[in-house]
Amino acid sequence: MTATQPLPVAAPPRVPDFAVISGAQVHAVLAGREREVVDLVERTYLLHAEGETVNPPSYFLRFPDRPSSRIIALPASLGGPAPVDGLKWISSFPENVQAGFPRASAVLILNDHATGYPFAVLESSIVSAARTAASAALAADALSRDRARPRRLGIVGTGLIARYVHRYLVGTGWEFDEVGVHDLAPESAAGFRDHLDRVGERVRVHDGAETLLRESDLIVFATVAPRPHVHAPEWFAHSPVVLHVSLRDLAPEVLLTATNIVDDVEHCLKAETSPHLTEQLTGGRGFLAGTLADVLTGRVRVAADRPVVFSPFGLGVLDLAVGRHVHGEVARAGGLHVVDGFFHELRRHG
């Protein structure tokens, strides 16, 4: 640039349009694109490991009159080439299952990185399930690279998350000789068995967890257990890969015999998760081998001769990455439902 050429002038920030994206639109964008979402989640984990995110602790709203229920706020900021800020607001009301619909509901708010103005709200139970399942599928692949690829899948807890994890495993190339399922509610196990039958899996319903765990080499925990209910390390003596998605199923004595991988150390060692209880019992964090990003980058290798447990707390930056992707795809297709006049007071002095 010569001395006579003017410096480029940055475009002034503008207040973005505000759009509402329905669950049907989210589903339409994500359905059948499991590999794309897994790749997106992997890139986000690596950005997080490089310090390109802000992911403060989750905030739990609990109710004295409804002790089994909670609503969680996950604020986050995602950097990289397309930065975005935002918040996931997700409720868990287990009694909903008795009425025949999922326990969890959620919205995701996306905020403009330049102005802070929110530019979209998305139905987010699907976003949340997809990023959770993509994280699990990514971990299953990374943690089984140095061992025989698992062929026997066992699933404990048969709700929406279990269905999405199975979908993402199959959608990224996994094939199973048999899928075992177990749930404390027989009708839920039966419903999930019917779903797996329809998609062509060979299914076995287990009355108890022990036989399922002993006979599976890839295990998914997707329950609503508030405290550990699996206490026997010997049930994992065959060294399976364990996707401990629900975080509170395994007693410390089980984790202490395994290689333990988390998504984020500080986040996972909170809120009485199984790793948190193990830290309290041992007085330290030496039982942790590292994070999934450490495995993906080769900083940590996972031995094949002992169980490996992946315990993901669930990072808000993953929701932002998937939500931003959905917004972009809906916008490109011309399907955004913009709320005209949503921001009304846009002049400081009237």
Side-chain angles (χ1 to χ4, degrees):
M1 180 177 294
T2 67
T4 59
Q5 290 178 311
L7 293 173
V9 178
R14 59 173 291 274
V15 174
D17 293 330
F18 182 80
V20 176
I21 298 176
S22 71
Q25 291 176 296
V26 174
H27 174 77
V29 169
L30 298 180
R33 298 169 78 172
E34 291 84 7
R35 170 51 62 188
E36 186 175 349
V37 178
V38 170
D39 290 345
L40 175 60
V41 164
E42 180 174 8
R43 294 195 299 271
T44 305
Y45 273 134
L46 296 177
L47 276 176
H48 182 66
E50 293 163 3
E52 293 291 326
T53 67
V54 180
N55 206 106
S58 302
Y59 297 88
F60 288 73
L61 176 62
R62 299 187 184 276
F63 313 98
D65 60 328
R66 293 157 288 165
S68 66
S69 300
R70 65 179 187 245
I71 307 179
I72 310 173
L74 287 80
S77 177
L78 178 62
V84 65
D85 310 320
L87 171 77
K88 181 172 76 171
W89 181 241
I90 181 166
S91 66
S92 174
F93 280 55
E95 284 72 19
N96 290 346
V97 175
Q98 300 172 12
F101 54 89
R103 66 176 176 84
S105 59
V107 294
L108 175 67
I109 300 170
L110 301 180
N111 291 76
D112 178 59
H113 189 72
T115 66
Y117 272 73
F119 63 87
V121 61
L122 296 80
E123 194 287 328
S124 195
S125 67
I126 296 173
V127 169
S128 188
R131 65 84 152 149
T132 299
S135 170
L138 176 65
D141 180 70
L143 299 176
S144 60
R145 289 174 183 169
D146 293 329
R147 62 180 70 205
R149 193 166 174 89
R151 300 283 307 183
R152 300 170 299 164
L153 174 64
I155 300 175
V156 182
T158 55
L160 178 75
I161 296 298
R163 174 159 57 86
Y164 267 78
V165 171
H166 174 264
R167 176 187 299 173
Y168 270 73
L169 288 170
V170 173
T172 52
W174 287 80
E175 296 180 351
F176 302 105
D177 298 329
E178 181 178 273
V179 179
V181 299
H182 169 65
D183 197 290
L184 293 178
E187 64 277 9
S188 182
F192 194 57
R193 177 201 60 209
D194 293 344
H195 164 72
L196 293 175
D197 281 339
R198 289 193 297 272
V199 298
E201 294 284 15
R202 181 169 177 250
V203 189
R204 178 185 171 193
V205 176
H206 292 252
D207 293 332
E210 180 179 357
T211 59
L212 180 145
L213 298 177
R214 287 185 181 272
E215 296 177 10
S216 304
D217 44 17
L218 177 62
I219 297 165
V220 177
F221 283 96
T223 75
V224 293
R227 62 188 63 86
H229 56 95
V230 176
H231 298 266
E234 60 270 21
W235 294 359
F236 304 88
H238 55 299
S239 302
V241 175
V242 182
L243 307 176
H244 188 206
V245 174
S246 40
L247 279 177
R248 295 172 177 84
D249 301 89
L250 302 178
E253 53 263 37
V254 174
L255 295 192
L256 290 173
T257 65
T259 299
N260 290 283
I261 303 296
V262 297
D263 54 356
D264 181 282
V265 173
E266 295 300 328
H267 283 76
C268 204
L269 296 180
K270 286 184 174 68
E272 297 188 330
T273 64
S274 295
H276 187 203
L277 296 178
T278 306
E279 179 191 34
Q280 292 174 332
L281 177 67
T282 63
R285 300 178 174 184
F287 66 94
L288 294 179
T291 66
L292 183 57
D294 291 329
V295 176
L296 293 170
T297 57
R299 290 191 292 267
V300 169
R301 298 291 297 270
V302 177
D305 59 353
R306 63 186 310 201
V308 55
V309 178
F310 175 54
S311 299
F313 194 81
L315 302 178
V317 290
L318 300 182
D319 298 281
L320 289 185
V322 176
R324 181 186 61 194
H325 170 74
V326 170
H327 178 272
E329 291 297 301
V330 174
R332 275 187 284 275
L336 285 180
H337 300 303
V338 174
V339 181
D340 292 330
F342 185 82
F343 298 112
H344 179 63
E345 290 286 1
L346 294 177
R347 298 188 179 187
R348 291 184 63 205
H349 304 295

